[in-house]
Amino acid sequence: GASAPIYSCVDANGRRLSLAYGVLAGAMALVTIARDGMLFLIAWELMALAAYFAATAEDDRREVRRAGWIYLIATHLGTLCLFAMFALWHSATGSFAWGAPSHALPAPTAAALFALALVGFGFKAGLMPLHVWLPGAHANAPSHVSAVMSGVMLKMGVYGIVRTTALLPAGPAWQGYALLAAGALSSVAGIAFAVSQRDLKRLLAYSSIENIGIVAMGLGLALLGRSLGQPAWILLGLGGALLHVWNHSLFKSLLFLNAGAVIHAAGTREIDRMGGLAKRMPQTAALFAAGAVAICALPPLNGFASEWLLYTGLFSTLGAAGGAAAPVASLAAVALAMTGALAVACFVKLYATAFLGEARQKEGLHAHEAPPTLRGPMAVLAAGCALIGLCPLAAAAPLEAAVRLWACGAPLPALADAAPLSSLSALSCGLAALTLL
């Protein structure tokens, strides 16, 4: 369990871990540049196996082996759906090229491709109820592996859904509703499970499910906009989702690396056995606080910027143009607000229990500050969170370019016109100044 010895055979398996970690990074890069279905599946499988060997480095522990097997089974269930998706793609287009013309696809074929992509890539992204592998795998992996799995590997699932929907013709509104529902379920249930966790890394794992749910809601809004001919919804939904993908990679990697430093100092993953760490690890505590503020979507850090775009997009459906989509989008906005409130409660409780008060066990009395080699990467990630939070306009141009590419040249408004980013920047800078004062 969480109170078991944290370090066991990592040193003995160091070479295996280093090899798997490097292969994982290379495989993820290959996934994003593959333009052929067969090459994509090879890279996908290589990524899955590398992640398995990296996450199970401490395989002398029973819970690590169990989490590894659950991950391996779940990821291959998703891969089977992707095999079916690419077989159907080849049957419909006559090619495995992932970019073949698809606008002439019959509606039932396009719907089947969407459903297979949602399930196949949803397993990797950790959408509920396809998340069964995620809490155990992230909790039991070495912390730097957890940072890459949560910060980057989960986004390969998001990438697959975005890429597939970009190649499919505009579908019926139910596709957008399906993603909005899956996103709302994942975000609310993910953070609700996180609140009840006593294991630090399992808590962070469940909060990853929450954030993937937020991304899915943005994608659902974009699909609704494409189906109903609302370009502003496309821009705000997909733009907010892609910005949140970027933001989550920063603050969740920061939190998992920070968790590694905390576990090394406290000798346990159980939050209730920590306490008083801020007195002995002040810089690590400050960096954790920055990550917590960002993940709670509080200004002036970056989580607030992406959720601002999503709120703007969801509320824009309430006008006359919203029609039947307005009630569903309103429920999604309520789910997003509930998620934010639960996230604040979760991380306030976590920070107060682990870092404030007095040490609850003797190991905590001897905790010491993480070395510069650990604090340095965390500081860089925290700076990234602050930069995007204070200067969200800097992200507008690349977001617009990505959304226009997904929308296949459909006329879209400028992001600065659709969402008041200048007001957001002024608000973030003002709050930062008040904090410093």
Side-chain angles (χ1 to χ4, degrees):
S3 61
I6 297 300
Y7 300 100
S8 49
C9 65
V10 174
D11 293 336
N13 290 341
R15 290 184 179 180
R16 186 188 93 176
L17 176 58
S18 298
L19 175 62
Y21 195 73
V23 172
L24 175 60
M28 289 190 295
L30 187 56
V31 163
T32 60
I33 64 175
R35 296 295 180 266
D36 177 83
M38 298 303 294
L39 178 61
F40 179 89
L41 288 173
I42 291 171
W44 191 264
E45 181 64 11
L46 190 62
M47 175 182 68
L49 293 176
Y52 167 76
F53 286 112
T56 57
E58 298 175 275
D59 57 4
D60 61 330
R61 292 165 52 199
R62 184 173 179 269
E63 64 270 23
V64 173
R65 296 193 299 271
R66 182 176 184 274
W69 280 112
I70 292 174
Y71 162 74
L72 207 58
I73 292 169
T75 194
H76 283 100
L77 288 174
T79 304
L80 286 175
C81 292
L82 298 185
F83 271 106
M85 185 193 81
F86 280 109
L88 181 58
W89 181 271
H90 182 272
S91 176
T93 65
S95 171
F96 280 114
W98 209 18
S102 58
H103 297 287
L105 287 175
T109 302
L113 287 168
F114 172 81
L116 288 169
L118 182 59
V119 176
F121 292 119
F123 266 107
K124 184 65 67 179
L127 282 173
M128 283 190 172
L130 309 174
H131 70 291
V132 291
W133 65 272
L134 194 153
H138 286 203
N140 290 288
S143 294
H144 66 293
V145 176
S146 300
V148 170
M149 290 177 70
S150 180
V152 185
M153 193 185 77
L154 296 187
K155 311 313 188 309
M156 297 297 105
V158 175
Y159 167 77
I161 296 173
V162 171
R163 178 121 179 238
T164 304
T165 53
L167 297 176
L168 294 176
W174 69 262
Q175 297 180 0
Y177 294 144
L179 266 172
L180 278 172
L185 171 65
S186 299
S187 60
V188 175
I191 194 60
F193 276 113
V195 171
S196 64
Q197 298 304 307
R198 298 174 59 192
D199 183 318
L200 173 58
K201 291 183 67 179
R202 191 173 287 269
L203 182 153
L204 295 178
Y206 274 111
S207 75
S208 292
I209 298 172
E210 167 227 339
N211 282 276
I212 291 297
I214 292 172
V215 172
M217 282 194 280
L219 295 178
L221 179 62
L223 286 174
L224 270 181
R226 191 170 71 170
S227 176
L228 302 178
Q230 297 293 331
W233 301 2
I234 299 175
L235 182 66
L236 292 169
L238 187 59
L242 294 179
L243 183 57
H244 202 73
V245 164
W246 195 356
N247 289 341
H248 181 255
S249 68
L250 292 171
F251 57 64
K252 185 48 66 70
S253 298
L254 165 59
L255 289 171
F256 266 118
L257 292 177
N258 201 294
V262 168
I263 292 167
H264 183 271
T268 181
R269 294 204 315 250
E270 288 191 19
I271 301 167
D272 294 340
R273 298 180 63 193
M274 299 178 185
L277 294 177
K279 298 176 182 178
R280 299 164 181 84
M281 308 173 69
Q283 295 181 33
T284 300
L287 290 167
F288 191 94
V293 169
I295 202 171
C296 291
L298 296 174
L301 299 185
N302 59 344
F304 180 62
S306 50
E307 292 199 22
W308 173 283
L309 293 181
L310 294 178
Y311 275 118
T312 304
L314 292 170
F315 288 137
S316 69
T317 66
L318 299 179
V328 178
S330 299
L331 290 175
V334 171
L336 187 58
M338 187 183 302
T339 299
L342 287 172
V344 171
C346 177
F347 281 90
V348 166
K349 171 190 171 186
L350 169 58
Y351 190 86
T353 305
F355 291 96
L356 304 182
E358 298 296 332
R360 294 176 178 82
Q361 60 173 354
K362 60 181 180 180
E363 289 87 348
L365 296 172
H366 304 291
H368 56 83
E369 186 62 88
T373 51
L374 290 180
R375 298 198 309 273
M378 290 190 282
V380 171
L381 292 168
C385 293
L387 179 63
I388 296 177
L390 295 172
C391 305
L393 283 170
L399 287 177
E400 282 185 21
V403 175
R404 292 182 193 281
L405 185 63
W406 183 86
C408 300
L412 298 174
L415 187 58
D417 296 332
L421 290 179
S422 57
S423 301
L424 171 60
S425 181
L427 174 62
S428 296
C429 290
L431 287 172
L434 287 175
T435 302
L436 292 175
L437 291 175

